Amino acid sequence: MIRVEFLGPIGKKPLEIDAATLREVSDLLQQNEALADWLPKCAVALNDMMINDLDTPLKAGDKITILPPVCGG
Amino acid sequence: MIRVEFLGPIGKKPLEIDAATLREVSDLLQQNEALADWLPKCAVALNDMMINDLDTPLKAGDKITILPPVCGG
Amino acid sequence: MELYQGSLDVKAIFGRWLDEQSSSNYGAYIPFVGTIRAEDGIEALSFDIYEPILQAWFDEWQKRAAERGAIVKMAHAIGDVPVHTSSYISAVFSPKRRVALELIDLFVEDFKANAPIWKYDVIDGKRIYAADRSTSMDGAGLLAQSN
Amino acid sequence: MELYQGSLDVKAIFGRWLDEQSSSNYGAYIPFVGTIRAEDGIEALSFDIYEPILQAWFDEWQKRAAERGAIVKMAHAIGDVPVHTSSYISAVFSPKRRVALELIDLFVEDFKANAPIWKYDVIDGKRIYAADRSTSMDGAGLLAQSN
């Protein structure tokens, strides 16, 4: 299982999903209407490392983090 | 009389001179060998205002200040 | 990197960083102190922070600063920060003035763009995400791409 | 503008400026703290200041800052300042981050170029003009022109 966590204002509980690549995660999340507005604006981390490649392979126990637009300071 | 003051490291006592314009002050100071190395590097103030014009007229009681290269901080 | 519940004690943090580097022979110390402005009827701002990625971001910046002989410091508030108090302090120490002035600008701007911190207006006790002032992080939209 | 005999009390000055502006609704406060580095065998640096022109320079900067909604502050030491102590603090307060970051850079650089302050190395108790690190002010050479 892959754990997907949604940070800050998204206000959505974590999901546990099956996926072999980040592309499969993308496919699954895009089916979720509550995320339609968020996904185009959100960055993604795998095990707390920022990632930029949809072909990133996943393994059981991986944690994916969805980061909405930020404003520190 | 015009008073000419030399600041910081120049280490020269003030002069009292007669001069009608800054150009005349320049002529007088250029005759002073001790100032030969300083004058090309020094900026000038008249009554504590920085000036850039040799034709600036002078009047009795004016104070000219010679400012060598600076390094605050 | 230091995270605090609520407003920062600006003088204490400034003074401690100064003391810690008092014999490090840095010639320039530039802190940036961010204070909550009273505007739009807010009583406070409130912050969520995701610490693991903030720490990684900060560690990467410490490396970038070290390449120029400098160090960076950062403190940020978690939760509610009332107006006219401080939520954020960052700082650069450097042997030289130019490096310090350049790094504080880059460091603060990259912080605004990429530190995983979310801001909320607090109005009548309610917490409202500051969507209009927030910016997408580098790489945003990856999961929204058509396949 | 504040001038002090000898080293600056950095924490006191930083804290007082912070307190003075505590309800001014500035969002950004950026001090620049300059500290004497131990190098080239110096025991201290020493400074001469010509206050009337420094005050005029500072007043002009206060106007420039005001045009952008900001204010500037400055403190400098007169006389000897031992290594690892502070000779110089300047600061910008501004409603907005970008203005503060831009002004502190311009303010500090113009200070280095045009504030009427002369620096001396103190080595074995002797005061030696720091000629190699000093720069001519804007308009230098006026009196050396051939007529």
Side-chain angles (χ1 to χ4, degrees):
Chain A
M1 297 291 275
I2 308 294
R3 183 178 174 87
V4 184
E5 296 185 349
F6 302 91
L7 297 187
I10 302 178
K12 186 173 166 60
K13 289 195 174 155
L15 300 176
E16 301 276 347
I17 62 175
D18 282 311
T21 69
L22 199 62
R23 195 176 298 277
E24 291 182 33
V25 177
S26 171
D27 289 343
L28 273 163
L29 296 185
Q30 287 191 47
Q31 293 165 28
N32 188 321
E33 282 185 23
L35 293 173
D37 286 346
W38 285 112
L39 288 184
K41 302 173 197 164
C42 286
V44 186
L46 172 59
N47 301 328
D48 294 333
M49 301 277 286
M50 303 302 295
I51 49 173
N52 285 293
D53 183 356
L54 273 188
D55 293 317
T56 306
L58 302 176
K59 63 182 190 304
D62 276 349
K63 179 177 75 169
I64 287 171
T65 311
I66 310 297
L67 300 103
V70 296
C71 188
Chain B
M1 297 291 274
I2 308 293
R3 184 180 173 84
V4 184
E5 296 185 351
F6 302 91
L7 297 186
I10 301 179
K12 186 174 166 57
K13 288 194 174 155
L15 300 177
E16 301 278 348
I17 63 175
D18 281 310
T21 67
L22 200 62
R23 195 177 298 276
E24 290 181 32
V25 176
S26 172
D27 288 344
L28 273 163
L29 296 186
Q30 287 190 45
Q31 292 164 30
N32 188 321
E33 281 186 23
L35 294 172
D37 285 346
W38 285 112
L39 288 184
K41 304 174 197 164
C42 286
V44 185
L46 172 61
N47 301 328
D48 294 334
M49 302 276 286
M50 304 302 295
I51 49 173
N52 284 291
D53 183 355
L54 273 188
D55 293 317
T56 306
L58 302 176
K59 62 179 190 305
D62 276 349
K63 180 178 74 170
I64 288 172
T65 311
I66 310 296
L67 300 103
V70 297
C71 187
Chain C
M1 191 183 85
E2 304 168 17
L3 302 178
Y4 298 89
Q5 290 295 329
S7 308
L8 303 185
D9 184 339
V10 175
K11 290 179 197 172
I13 292 168
F14 171 87
R16 183 162 42 74
W17 290 351
L18 181 75
D19 290 342
E20 286 170 4
Q21 304 303 327
S22 63
S23 55
S24 307
N25 214 25
Y26 292 119
Y29 170 26
I30 310 181
F32 177 106
V33 180
T35 299
I36 308 297
R37 302 188 67 214
E39 56 187 352
D40 305 327
I42 64 166
E43 56 222 41
L45 293 179
S46 192
F47 297 90
D48 290 340
I49 292 184
Y50 187 60
E51 188 168 349
I53 290 177
L54 182 60
Q55 186 68 56
W57 173 88
F58 180 78
D59 292 346
E60 187 59 35
W61 257 100
Q62 201 62 279
K63 282 185 213 159
R64 289 174 66 176
E67 287 166 9
R68 303 189 68 180
I71 61 170
V72 289
K73 301 265 192 185
M74 201 199 100
H76 204 286
I78 300 171
D80 289 7
V81 184
V83 297
H84 295 166
T85 68
S86 174
S87 55
Y88 169 52
I89 312 178
S90 61
V92 174
F93 286 87
S94 154
K96 294 294 179 186
R97 165 180 104 253
R98 270 311 323 148
V99 168
L101 286 165
E102 286 165 24
L103 282 183
I104 193 67
D105 193 326
L106 295 168
F107 183 49
V108 169
E109 290 299 327
D110 192 50
F111 171 83
K112 295 297 289 189
N114 286 304
I117 302 180
W118 297 277
K119 179 180 283 178
Y120 305 81
D121 290 331
V122 179
I123 300 176
D124 296 335
K126 279 176 58 183
R127 210 167 180 250
I128 304 152
Y129 175 51
D132 54 330
R133 283 163 284 156
S134 300
T135 51
S136 290
M137 298 170 76
D138 290 348
L142 184 69
L143 297 185
Q145 290 174 19
S146 57
N147 295 299
Chain D
M1 192 183 85
E2 304 168 17
L3 302 179
Y4 297 91
Q5 290 294 330
S7 309
L8 303 184
D9 184 340
V10 175
K11 290 179 197 173
I13 293 168
F14 171 88
R16 183 162 43 74
W17 291 350
L18 182 75
D19 289 342
E20 285 170 6
Q21 304 303 328
S22 62
S23 55
S24 307
N25 215 25
Y26 292 119
Y29 171 25
I30 311 183
F32 177 104
V33 180
T35 300
I36 308 296
R37 301 188 68 213
E39 55 187 352
D40 304 327
I42 64 166
E43 56 223 40
L45 293 179
S46 191
F47 298 90
D48 291 340
I49 292 184
Y50 186 60
E51 188 166 350
I53 292 179
L54 182 60
Q55 187 68 56
W57 174 89
F58 180 78
D59 292 346
E60 187 59 35
W61 257 99
Q62 201 63 280
K63 283 186 214 157
R64 288 174 67 176
E67 286 166 11
R68 303 188 69 179
I71 60 170
V72 289
K73 302 264 192 183
M74 201 198 99
H76 204 286
I78 299 171
D80 288 7
V81 184
V83 297
H84 294 166
T85 68
S86 174
S87 54
Y88 170 52
I89 312 178
S90 60
V92 174
F93 286 86
S94 156
K96 295 294 181 186
R97 165 180 104 253
R98 268 315 319 151
V99 168
L101 286 165
E102 286 164 24
L103 282 183
I104 192 68
D105 194 326
L106 295 169
F107 183 48
V108 169
E109 291 298 327
D110 192 48
F111 170 83
K112 295 297 287 187
N114 286 304
I117 302 179
W118 296 277
K119 179 181 283 179
Y120 305 81
D121 291 331
V122 180
I123 301 177
D124 296 333
K126 280 176 58 184
R127 212 166 176 249
I128 304 152
Y129 176 50
D132 54 329
R133 281 162 286 155
S134 300
T135 51
S136 289
M137 298 170 76
D138 291 347
L142 184 67
L143 297 186
Q145 290 174 20
S146 55
N147 295 301

